[in-house]
Amino acid sequence: MGRVYNFSAGPAVLPEEVLNEASEEMLNYRNTGMSVMEMSHRSQAYQTIIDEAEQDLRDLMNIPDNYKVLFLQGGASLQFAMVPMNLMKNRVADYIITGNWAKKAYQEASKYGKVNAIASSADKNFTYIPDCSDLSISKESDYVYICENNTIYGTKYKSLPNTKGKTLISDISSCFLSEPVDVSKYGILFGGAQKNVGPAGVTIVIIREDLISEDILPGTPTMLKYKTHSDSGSLYNTPPTYGIYMCGKVFKWLKNLGGLEAMQERNQNKAKILYDYLDKSKLFSGTVEKEYRSLMNIPFVTGDSDIDAKFVKEAKEAGLENLKGHRTVGGMRASIYNAMPTEGVEALVAFMKDFEAKNL
Ligand SMILES: *Cc1c(COP(=O)(O)O)cnc(C)c1O
């Protein structure tokens, strides 16, 4: 069997060009005589790889000089703890609950202080983003936390919350590099690489310098201090060397395609193909309120779980993989990250039309 169209939410599709390049360099990286996997993280060759990866990410996202880029491990889930451990000086924080990942972050932070859920879309199974223009943000709050693109529910913030001057922390795991962002509006942006950036095992944290200090919760392990990693250029201990190398290749791929403006346009066109069809289909419907629709994760249902299961099975047989929805939403979900080609979405819609004709 050849390569399929992989609609997995993560680990997810990577650009074929990147995989091919990595495969060519697998045994002997640029005449070093070894694979990047076998290379010391203290070698000059590796230093060049991580420096270029950082610089390319800075170029792509226009990251201001007063922000650090950290390549860490532990997944986005470890940031649920690192954020409060490093930032909760008053032991108060405000969280906006727009799905499972925001809820998990909220629960983790609750171990360290008084955490307020200042808005939530739980009342409608997270099918929208709550109004965040005038939230009751606490005076002593150390930060306001959001999950910007909700991977499971398929919603995305279309404007950032009014934090009333408080530092904004954002989990961008599933919308990382999908469109331009104004980094200066955030204190921290973080994400696991395995959704839209690279292989699992790398977590990228973009953090404003003034938030990095030794004044953190007592007992915070050395490895969980932002300062540890910032002071050592993400080389305090062995970083996920091969994963960072792959992320670096994806950054170069994005730059070659024209950067994040070009990627945004491509993503909008791609998502429109599926949303337009969902809006007129008599069998399938999207689950999210239109104005909050994600460009990356698109859940849809037929309303009949047997037909849903039949669809997922037959789609797989047709080379359209990983379309089963998350158990909390049911139905289907197509994750169409940067690396999903337009032809993949076209193939999905063609298959859905055919399935609709046979099953309605
Ligand atoms: C997948 C995901 C996570 C969890 O990521 P891990 O790297 O597995 O810890 C957190 N937040 C969002 C938005 C995600 O999509």
Side-chain angles (χ1 to χ4, degrees):
M1 179 147 152
R3 279 177 62 79
V4 299
Y5 288 121
N6 178 9
F7 295 93
S8 168
V13 55
L14 285 167
E16 213 164 292
E17 298 92 317
V18 165
L19 295 173
N20 274 326
E21 245 184 69
S23 130
E24 281 158 22
E25 293 173 348
M26 179 60 77
L27 293 180
N28 185 355
Y29 175 76
R30 300 192 187 168
N31 276 323
T32 55
M34 61 180 87
S35 169
V36 172
M37 265 186 253
E38 303 169 299
M39 205 175 264
S40 163
H41 60 296
R42 308 283 175 206
S43 65
Q44 189 51 53
Y46 193 74
Q47 190 65 52
T48 305
I49 289 173
I50 192 168
D51 287 347
E52 271 188 34
E54 172 172 345
Q55 191 55 52
D56 286 334
L57 181 63
R58 285 185 174 277
D59 295 347
L60 280 169
M61 292 180 77
N62 243 321
I63 300 176
D65 289 343
N66 63 325
Y67 283 74
K68 293 280 190 193
V69 173
L70 310 177
F71 295 102
L72 308 181
Q73 306 189 55
S77 300
L78 187 56
Q79 294 308 307
F80 299 169
M82 276 179 79
V83 166
M85 290 174 111
N86 284 271
L87 263 54
M88 224 192 244
K89 318 216 185 260
N90 299 325
R91 302 251 183 184
V92 181
D94 293 316
Y95 278 64
I96 300 171
I97 313 296
T98 52
N100 273 23
W101 295 117
K103 199 156 75 189
K104 283 198 164 152
Y106 163 84
Q107 285 164 343
E108 190 71 6
S110 301
K111 294 183 171 175
Y112 303 101
K114 184 174 179 314
V115 180
N116 309 303
I118 53 171
S120 168
S121 50
D123 59 336
K124 292 186 192 160
N125 199 29
F126 303 116
T127 51
Y128 70 105
I129 299 290
D131 177 9
C132 297
S133 57
D134 186 17
L135 300 164
S136 53
I137 289 162
S138 348
K139 225 172 117 223
E140 328 75 70
S141 179
D142 291 305
Y143 58 85
V144 175
Y145 182 102
I146 62 170
C147 177
E148 202 156 328
N149 184 80
N150 295 280
T151 324
I152 295 173
Y153 299 94
T155 59
K156 166 130 201 310
Y157 284 80
K158 298 297 153 116
S159 60
L160 293 177
N162 174 4
T163 64
K164 303 185 178 173
K166 299 292 184 188
T167 300
L168 180 64
I169 311 296
S170 181
D171 175 355
I172 56 165
S173 294
S174 51
C175 57
F176 221 140
L177 302 175
S178 63
E179 57 184 48
V181 284
D182 182 352
V183 172
S184 71
K185 295 209 162 89
Y186 303 80
I188 297 179
L189 300 126
F190 71 86
Q194 74 274 20
K195 307 290 163 63
N196 210 14
V197 181
V202 184
T203 310
I204 298 174
V205 175
I206 300 162
I207 177 169
R208 212 176 58 220
E209 269 167 359
D210 62 282
L211 298 172
I212 304 171
S213 77
E214 282 288 0
D215 174 23
I216 56 178
L217 299 196
T220 299
T222 307
M223 276 294 288
L224 301 190
K225 297 178 184 180
Y226 290 125
K227 192 159 191 312
T228 301
H229 300 287
S230 163
D231 285 352
S232 58
S234 301
L235 293 165
Y236 171 73
N237 70 329
T238 319
T241 50
Y242 197 78
I244 295 169
Y245 154 82
M246 288 297 287
C247 291
K249 287 210 175 295
V250 172
F251 301 155
K252 288 201 191 297
W253 175 78
L254 282 164
K255 277 179 123 177
N256 282 337
L257 284 176
L260 300 192
E261 278 84 10
M263 194 41 67
Q264 177 180 40
E265 196 186 326
R266 192 174 123 137
N267 286 333
Q268 281 167 342
N269 293 335
K270 234 164 58 183
K272 189 172 185 301
I273 296 169
L274 182 48
Y275 281 127
D276 281 353
Y277 169 64
L278 287 172
D279 287 342
K280 57 175 205 269
S281 169
K282 294 197 167 55
L283 180 63
F284 300 101
S285 53
T287 57
V288 169
E289 288 186 22
K290 282 188 189 172
E291 62 183 295
Y292 305 110
R293 283 171 162 178
S294 167
L295 294 180
M296 297 282 100
N297 311 97
I298 306 186
F300 54 95
V301 295
T302 65
D304 177 329
S305 58
D306 290 340
I307 305 235
D308 288 348
K310 184 172 183 230
F311 176 83
V312 171
K313 181 171 170 284
E314 291 180 8
K316 183 177 161 69
E317 286 159 10
L320 306 165
E321 290 241 16
N322 289 316
L323 283 162
K324 191 173 186 319
H326 192 269
R327 62 187 184 282
T328 58
V329 180
M332 283 69 70
R333 170 178 51 175
S335 294
I336 53 170
Y337 296 118
N338 287 347
M340 172 60 65
T342 304
E343 301 82 68
V345 180
E346 286 168 347
L348 172 61
V349 169
F351 180 83
M352 289 169 78
K353 282 182 179 162
D354 187 53
F355 186 89
E356 175 168 344
K358 288 178 184 147
N359 290 275
L360 194 64

